[in-house]
Structures are given as structure tokens and as C-alpha cells.
Amino acid sequence: MSGKPKLHYFNGRGRMETIRWLLAAAGVEFEECFMETKDDFTKLQKNGFLLFQQVPMVEIDGMKMVQTRAICNYIAAKYNLYGKDLKERALIDMYVEAIMDLNELFMTHPIQPADKKEQHFATIVDKATNRYFPVYEKVLKDHGQDFLVGNQFSRADVQLLEILLIAEECKPDILAKFPLLQSFKARISNIPTIKKFLQPGSQRKPPLQEKDLPKVMKIFY
Amino acid sequence: MSGKPKLYYFDGRGKMESIRWLLAAAGVEFEEEFLETQEQYEKLLQGGFLLFQQVPMVEIDGMKMVQTRAILSYIAAKYNLYGKDLKERALIDMYVGGTDDLMGFIMMFPFLSAEDKEKQRAVIVQKATSRYFPAYEKVLKDHGQDFLVGNRFSWADVHLLEAILMVEEKKSDVLSGFPQLQAFKTRISSIPTIKKFLEPGSQRKPVPDDKYVETVRRVLRMYYDIKAN
């Protein structure tokens, strides 16, 4: 046993990507075990490794953790990315929960039926630019600090950067009206652990290609 | 200002119900403002009360908190219902994640067409009995303790009881294969704060009906069809 956290998922972003971001941001090396086929998944389920028969699953500190939020919460707390007290934690939670709502929309886009895709895309862009991004722009404007919460790097910054990059992949000029988010993006990307994660060859996963979708679906359905 | 937490939501369960359960379990009195009209909602929006333009919103300790999970985590931590250390917290988070997913199947139920309701009822029962209940049954069996985590009452126990009662409303004998959960249900229901919340006249909300659905649709202008997942 290496002592490093071990991630069980398919070789793609999905619900595991945020966990990869947090571990990378914290400078924690991790291993990955990729499910390629339904058999790989069934094997994990039959071994009793998956509390609710689902992935993500992360082997960490003697636990087989499941539930994305639980895993993210544990990593953030363990590596001091969760604020200094209950109130900072509350702010961080509010910010990351909303980011996760937006991320759900992005994540479910590839599986929309063809006739609904365009409308769905429009909804995502609308929500990102009218509901979510303005909030983070205002937070940064109001306190003028480098980080979202408590003048200290936290998971909120990591997760916001993650979603900003995802949004730009979908629509390259989506940050046009958000100057502070643009400088936030540059600033956080320069943090050494983040910078490393953003370089080619890291464990960061690319966006799901249309052609790979059937293979992923076969694992689960 | 009363100092009590104040909940802003519809007069019904939805996403606020777990918050009501947790405050009640902690013995915390709370006030509620019910959204009935679009104008009320617009007023909250204009006033900048809703960070992401959504409810639930809870005024607590000088904050206008939004995002159900954030609110629940805050309450759990504040009132010592979140375990004693990081590892107990991890277990609680995992368990709550499961019951949250299970209750998610039920949350959309009132908004479905009659035909989809029947299908969804079957899905709820199937997920409860083949995926979620067995997990909690095993946890209780393996450690033989009264509570899910750390031999102490926590958020996980409250959330599981809430989920059990909700599923039973869809199929009253759904616990028949789960003796540990049956005992758990009786035990947790007897805790004084929980017992009080389960009595008529408490702030617990009833099973959502058409009037609730109509109110939500009207206030949020949510007139599109909801499909089961």
C-alpha cells in the first residue's frame, strides 16, 4: 500500500474531476484505477467497496470514501482549504454548492437529446453569466482581496477556477464582462500546485468527446 | 429581531424540510416566512436577499444563508451534530449523501404527471430497498450501536429518519426486510426533540399536495414539465 489516495472512476472528468483538482491544489499525489468496462464496475460493487454501489470512490486514510461532497469536504478540511472557522466554512459551502449546481449543468450537457442540446446550452450560458458569475465578480469586487474567503486560499478558489475554465471551453468569451474573474483566473492559475496541474501530463482530464460517450455509458447502464 | 433563525420558503417540504428537521432535532426554535406570491419572491430578489436568486434561504447568526447543504452543515456543526472529528464527519457526510440522493427521488414526485408518479414510486421503493436501506442496515448491524456514527446522536440519524418516513409514505411496509432500521426508527423517534417535531402542530410539513405544486409553479413561474430522472 502506497499511502497515497487512490481514485476509482472511469478515465474522464465526471464527478471525480473536482476531487482531482482539490488533491492537486493541496499538493497531494494520488493514484488512479480506471474502470474500462461494466465488468470492472461490477467487480467493485461485488467486492463491497462501494457503500451505495456508486463511484466516485476514493481510498484515503484507511477509508473507502464515496459521495463526491463527502470526499471533497474531507480533503478540504484535512489540507486546510476549508477556512478558519464555522462562518468562513459557511461562506465557502455556499460558494461551492452553487458552483456544483452549475457544474451539474455542464456535466449533463453531453447526454442531452439532440433536439434539446441547443436550448440546454443557452440555459447554461444564461445561468453562468446572469446567476453565478456576477455573484463571484461582486464578492471579489466588494472585498478587493485575492481569494474568495478570508483572504486565504481555499477550496472555493479551486472550484471557482475549475468552473471558469470549463465555461471557457464551452464559450471562449464567456468571461468578457467579468474583469475580476479574469484576473482571478490568472492569479489562481499561477499558484504553483495549480500551475502544475494545468500543465500537459498532469492527471487533469480532458473534456468528454462525443465519440467516447457510448463507452462511458456502457460502464454504467 | 428575535434572534431565532428565520426560514424563507414555500409552505411545504421541498428542500427546506431537512433544515426544519435538523433545527428541531437540535431543539432550536425557528420562524418561517412562507412564499405565496410572485411579488414576495420579487421583493426578496430585489432586496438582494437571495445570493443565487433561489430559496431555501435562512437568516441565521447575521447571515442570509442559501444552498441547502451549506445551511445544513452549518447547523449540524453549530449544534454538535457533526461528529467529534474529521473521520466521524466523513462518515456522516457519506451517510447524509446517500439519504440526500434517496430523498431527491421523492422531491420531484409531486410535480410529475400521474403516469410518471406510478413509475417513480416504483423507482423510489426499488432504490430504497436495494441500494440505500441495506447500506444503513449493515452499518447498524456491524457496530450494534444506537446511532449511525460514533455512538452519538448526529445529523446522519436525523436525516435517515426523515428519509425512512418519507419512503414509508410511498409504501408503508417498506421496512419489512430491515429489522435494524425498524428499531432505529422507533428509537430515534423517541428522542424528545424529535418526538415533539413528529407531533401534530409542529412545524413539520405534510406530504406535498396539488396546492403546494401550484404555489411553487406560480411563485417561480415554473410552468414547464418535470420529468423523472
PDB file of all heavy atoms in Angstrom, chain A residues 132-149:
ATOM      1  N   TYR A 132     -24.641  33.060 -11.712  1.00  0.00           N
ATOM      2  CA  TYR A 132     -23.489  32.634 -10.914  1.00  0.00           C
ATOM      3  C   TYR A 132     -22.299  33.578 -10.992  1.00  0.00           C
ATOM      4  O   TYR A 132     -21.835  34.090  -9.988  1.00  0.00           O
ATOM      5  CB  TYR A 132     -23.110  31.198 -11.267  1.00  0.00           C
ATOM      6  CG  TYR A 132     -24.193  30.211 -10.923  1.00  0.00           C
ATOM      7  CD1 TYR A 132     -24.969  29.605 -11.915  1.00  0.00           C
ATOM      8  CD2 TYR A 132     -24.474  29.892  -9.594  1.00  0.00           C
ATOM      9  CE1 TYR A 132     -25.984  28.716 -11.587  1.00  0.00           C
ATOM     10  CE2 TYR A 132     -25.490  29.007  -9.260  1.00  0.00           C
ATOM     11  CZ  TYR A 132     -26.245  28.422 -10.258  1.00  0.00           C
ATOM     12  OH  TYR A 132     -27.248  27.546  -9.934  1.00  0.00           O
ATOM     13  N   PHE A 133     -21.797  33.833 -12.199  1.00  0.00           N
ATOM     14  CA  PHE A 133     -20.592  34.643 -12.325  1.00  0.00           C
ATOM     15  C   PHE A 133     -20.720  36.036 -11.702  1.00  0.00           C
ATOM     16  O   PHE A 133     -19.772  36.500 -11.055  1.00  0.00           O
ATOM     17  CB  PHE A 133     -20.118  34.725 -13.786  1.00  0.00           C
ATOM     18  CG  PHE A 133     -19.624  33.419 -14.351  1.00  0.00           C
ATOM     19  CD1 PHE A 133     -19.353  33.306 -15.703  1.00  0.00           C
ATOM     20  CD2 PHE A 133     -19.424  32.307 -13.544  1.00  0.00           C
ATOM     21  CE1 PHE A 133     -18.879  32.094 -16.242  1.00  0.00           C
ATOM     22  CE2 PHE A 133     -18.962  31.102 -14.070  1.00  0.00           C
ATOM     23  CZ  PHE A 133     -18.695  30.995 -15.430  1.00  0.00           C
ATOM     24  N   PRO A 134     -21.879  36.710 -11.878  1.00  0.00           N
ATOM     25  CA  PRO A 134     -21.987  38.034 -11.253  1.00  0.00           C
ATOM     26  C   PRO A 134     -21.779  38.001  -9.730  1.00  0.00           C
ATOM     27  O   PRO A 134     -21.251  38.955  -9.149  1.00  0.00           O
ATOM     28  CB  PRO A 134     -23.419  38.472 -11.594  1.00  0.00           C
ATOM     29  CG  PRO A 134     -23.774  37.709 -12.822  1.00  0.00           C
ATOM     30  CD  PRO A 134     -23.068  36.392 -12.685  1.00  0.00           C
ATOM     31  N   VAL A 135     -22.177  36.914  -9.110  1.00  0.00           N
ATOM     32  CA  VAL A 135     -22.029  36.811  -7.651  1.00  0.00           C
ATOM     33  C   VAL A 135     -20.555  36.807  -7.271  1.00  0.00           C
ATOM     34  O   VAL A 135     -20.123  37.548  -6.386  1.00  0.00           O
ATOM     35  CB  VAL A 135     -22.716  35.552  -7.117  1.00  0.00           C
ATOM     36  CG1 VAL A 135     -22.395  35.345  -5.638  1.00  0.00           C
ATOM     37  CG2 VAL A 135     -24.228  35.645  -7.309  1.00  0.00           C
ATOM     38  N   TYR A 136     -19.761  35.980  -7.948  1.00  0.00           N
ATOM     39  CA  TYR A 136     -18.346  35.874  -7.603  1.00  0.00           C
ATOM     40  C   TYR A 136     -17.595  37.144  -7.983  1.00  0.00           C
ATOM     41  O   TYR A 136     -16.674  37.569  -7.288  1.00  0.00           O
ATOM     42  CB  TYR A 136     -17.740  34.619  -8.231  1.00  0.00           C
ATOM     43  CG  TYR A 136     -18.454  33.356  -7.787  1.00  0.00           C
ATOM     44  CD1 TYR A 136     -19.321  32.679  -8.652  1.00  0.00           C
ATOM     45  CD2 TYR A 136     -18.324  32.879  -6.486  1.00  0.00           C
ATOM     46  CE1 TYR A 136     -20.020  31.559  -8.228  1.00  0.00           C
ATOM     47  CE2 TYR A 136     -19.022  31.755  -6.057  1.00  0.00           C
ATOM     48  CZ  TYR A 136     -19.865  31.105  -6.926  1.00  0.00           C
ATOM     49  OH  TYR A 136     -20.567  29.999  -6.499  1.00  0.00           O
ATOM     50  N   GLU A 137     -18.002  37.763  -9.102  1.00  0.00           N
ATOM     51  CA  GLU A 137     -17.411  39.052  -9.501  1.00  0.00           C
ATOM     52  C   GLU A 137     -17.636  40.066  -8.376  1.00  0.00           C
ATOM     53  O   GLU A 137     -16.710  40.783  -7.985  1.00  0.00           O
ATOM     54  CB  GLU A 137     -18.054  39.519 -10.818  1.00  0.00           C
ATOM     55  CG  GLU A 137     -17.533  40.824 -11.388  1.00  0.00           C
ATOM     56  CD  GLU A 137     -16.220  40.685 -12.172  1.00  0.00           C
ATOM     57  OE1 GLU A 137     -15.738  39.550 -12.371  1.00  0.00           O
ATOM     58  OE2 GLU A 137     -15.668  41.740 -12.569  1.00  0.00           O
ATOM     59  N   LYS A 138     -18.866  40.103  -7.848  1.00  0.00           N
ATOM     60  CA  LYS A 138     -19.198  41.073  -6.794  1.00  0.00           C
ATOM     61  C   LYS A 138     -18.454  40.754  -5.494  1.00  0.00           C
ATOM     62  O   LYS A 138     -17.978  41.670  -4.813  1.00  0.00           O
ATOM     63  CB  LYS A 138     -20.706  41.062  -6.553  1.00  0.00           C
ATOM     64  CG  LYS A 138     -21.173  42.089  -5.526  1.00  0.00           C
ATOM     65  CD  LYS A 138     -22.682  42.072  -5.348  1.00  0.00           C
ATOM     66  CE  LYS A 138     -23.164  43.289  -4.554  1.00  0.00           C
ATOM     67  NZ  LYS A 138     -22.691  43.298  -3.162  1.00  0.00           N
ATOM     68  N   VAL A 139     -18.340  39.486  -5.145  1.00  0.00           N
ATOM     69  CA  VAL A 139     -17.613  39.110  -3.928  1.00  0.00           C
ATOM     70  C   VAL A 139     -16.186  39.654  -3.992  1.00  0.00           C
ATOM     71  O   VAL A 139     -15.693  40.281  -3.045  1.00  0.00           O
ATOM     72  CB  VAL A 139     -17.585  37.571  -3.754  1.00  0.00           C
ATOM     73  CG1 VAL A 139     -16.567  37.147  -2.698  1.00  0.00           C
ATOM     74  CG2 VAL A 139     -18.966  37.047  -3.378  1.00  0.00           C
ATOM     75  N   LEU A 140     -15.537  39.421  -5.132  1.00  0.00           N
ATOM     76  CA  LEU A 140     -14.153  39.868  -5.296  1.00  0.00           C
ATOM     77  C   LEU A 140     -14.074  41.395  -5.299  1.00  0.00           C
ATOM     78  O   LEU A 140     -13.162  41.975  -4.702  1.00  0.00           O
ATOM     79  CB  LEU A 140     -13.564  39.300  -6.591  1.00  0.00           C
ATOM     80  CG  LEU A 140     -13.358  37.782  -6.604  1.00  0.00           C
ATOM     81  CD1 LEU A 140     -13.039  37.290  -8.013  1.00  0.00           C
ATOM     82  CD2 LEU A 140     -12.239  37.369  -5.654  1.00  0.00           C
ATOM     83  N   LYS A 141     -15.057  42.033  -5.942  1.00  0.00           N
ATOM     84  CA  LYS A 141     -15.061  43.498  -6.007  1.00  0.00           C
ATOM     85  C   LYS A 141     -15.244  44.098  -4.618  1.00  0.00           C
ATOM     86  O   LYS A 141     -14.559  45.037  -4.236  1.00  0.00           O
ATOM     87  CB  LYS A 141     -16.190  43.946  -6.931  1.00  0.00           C
ATOM     88  CG  LYS A 141     -16.191  45.429  -7.194  1.00  0.00           C
ATOM     89  CD  LYS A 141     -17.059  45.802  -8.363  1.00  0.00           C
ATOM     90  CE  LYS A 141     -16.809  47.285  -8.691  1.00  0.00           C
ATOM     91  NZ  LYS A 141     -18.006  47.930  -9.185  1.00  0.00           N
ATOM     92  N   ASP A 142     -16.190  43.529  -3.858  1.00  0.00           N
ATOM     93  CA  ASP A 142     -16.537  44.094  -2.553  1.00  0.00           C
ATOM     94  C   ASP A 142     -15.381  44.055  -1.555  1.00  0.00           C
ATOM     95  O   ASP A 142     -15.183  45.001  -0.796  1.00  0.00           O
ATOM     96  CB  ASP A 142     -17.767  43.389  -1.963  1.00  0.00           C
ATOM     97  CG  ASP A 142     -19.068  43.811  -2.645  1.00  0.00           C
ATOM     98  OD1 ASP A 142     -19.027  44.736  -3.475  1.00  0.00           O
ATOM     99  OD2 ASP A 142     -20.110  43.189  -2.360  1.00  0.00           O
ATOM    100  N   HIS A 143     -14.643  42.944  -1.513  1.00  0.00           N
ATOM    101  CA  HIS A 143     -13.563  42.894  -0.507  1.00  0.00           C
ATOM    102  C   HIS A 143     -12.185  43.203  -1.098  1.00  0.00           C
ATOM    103  O   HIS A 143     -11.239  43.458  -0.365  1.00  0.00           O
ATOM    104  CB  HIS A 143     -13.556  41.602   0.302  1.00  0.00           C
ATOM    105  CG  HIS A 143     -13.332  40.312  -0.451  1.00  0.00           C
ATOM    106  ND1 HIS A 143     -12.405  40.157  -1.449  1.00  0.00           N
ATOM    107  CD2 HIS A 143     -13.924  39.106  -0.293  1.00  0.00           C
ATOM    108  CE1 HIS A 143     -12.432  38.899  -1.885  1.00  0.00           C
ATOM    109  NE2 HIS A 143     -13.330  38.238  -1.208  1.00  0.00           N
ATOM    110  N   GLY A 144     -12.092  43.177  -2.409  1.00  0.00           N
ATOM    111  CA  GLY A 144     -10.825  43.531  -3.061  1.00  0.00           C
ATOM    112  C   GLY A 144      -9.660  42.610  -2.742  1.00  0.00           C
ATOM    113  O   GLY A 144      -8.496  42.952  -2.982  1.00  0.00           O
ATOM    114  N   GLN A 145      -9.952  41.445  -2.203  1.00  0.00           N
ATOM    115  CA  GLN A 145      -8.860  40.526  -1.837  1.00  0.00           C
ATOM    116  C   GLN A 145      -8.589  39.528  -2.964  1.00  0.00           C
ATOM    117  O   GLN A 145      -9.375  39.402  -3.898  1.00  0.00           O
ATOM    118  CB  GLN A 145      -9.228  39.781  -0.545  1.00  0.00           C
ATOM    119  CG  GLN A 145      -9.254  40.696   0.679  1.00  0.00           C
ATOM    120  CD  GLN A 145      -9.958  40.055   1.861  1.00  0.00           C
ATOM    121  OE1 GLN A 145     -10.350  38.892   1.817  1.00  0.00           O
ATOM    122  NE2 GLN A 145     -10.131  40.818   2.924  1.00  0.00           N
ATOM    123  N   ASP A 146      -7.473  38.809  -2.804  1.00  0.00           N
ATOM    124  CA  ASP A 146      -7.076  37.872  -3.851  1.00  0.00           C
ATOM    125  C   ASP A 146      -7.916  36.609  -3.882  1.00  0.00           C
ATOM    126  O   ASP A 146      -8.036  35.971  -4.928  1.00  0.00           O
ATOM    127  CB  ASP A 146      -5.605  37.450  -3.647  1.00  0.00           C
ATOM    128  CG  ASP A 146      -4.635  38.526  -4.103  1.00  0.00           C
ATOM    129  OD1 ASP A 146      -5.092  39.535  -4.671  1.00  0.00           O
ATOM    130  OD2 ASP A 146      -3.420  38.337  -3.899  1.00  0.00           O
ATOM    131  N   PHE A 147      -8.441  36.229  -2.699  1.00  0.00           N
ATOM    132  CA  PHE A 147      -9.152  34.961  -2.609  1.00  0.00           C
ATOM    133  C   PHE A 147     -10.598  35.212  -2.201  1.00  0.00           C
ATOM    134  O   PHE A 147     -10.931  36.241  -1.614  1.00  0.00           O
ATOM    135  CB  PHE A 147      -8.447  34.032  -1.608  1.00  0.00           C
ATOM    136  CG  PHE A 147      -6.994  33.842  -1.899  1.00  0.00           C
ATOM    137  CD1 PHE A 147      -6.023  34.441  -1.112  1.00  0.00           C
ATOM    138  CD2 PHE A 147      -6.595  33.074  -2.995  1.00  0.00           C
ATOM    139  CE1 PHE A 147      -4.670  34.270  -1.396  1.00  0.00           C
ATOM    140  CE2 PHE A 147      -5.250  32.900  -3.288  1.00  0.00           C
ATOM    141  CZ  PHE A 147      -4.287  33.513  -2.499  1.00  0.00           C
ATOM    142  N   LEU A 148     -11.451  34.247  -2.482  1.00  0.00           N
ATOM    143  CA  LEU A 148     -12.880  34.444  -2.238  1.00  0.00           C
ATOM    144  C   LEU A 148     -13.218  34.632  -0.759  1.00  0.00           C
ATOM    145  O   LEU A 148     -14.048  35.465  -0.418  1.00  0.00           O
ATOM    146  CB  LEU A 148     -13.683  33.258  -2.796  1.00  0.00           C
ATOM    147  CG  LEU A 148     -13.905  33.243  -4.302  1.00  0.00           C
ATOM    148  CD1 LEU A 148     -14.484  31.902  -4.742  1.00  0.00           C
ATOM    149  CD2 LEU A 148     -14.839  34.372  -4.742  1.00  0.00           C
ATOM    150  N   VAL A 149     -12.581  33.846   0.094  1.00  0.00           N
ATOM    151  CA  VAL A 149     -12.981  33.828   1.516  1.00  0.00           C
ATOM    152  C   VAL A 149     -11.790  33.987   2.459  1.00  0.00           C
ATOM    153  O   VAL A 149     -10.793  33.263   2.328  1.00  0.00           O
ATOM    154  CB  VAL A 149     -13.710  32.508   1.865  1.00  0.00           C
ATOM    155  CG1 VAL A 149     -14.077  32.456   3.349  1.00  0.00           C
ATOM    156  CG2 VAL A 149     -14.961  32.333   1.018  1.00  0.00           C
TER     157      VAL A 149
END
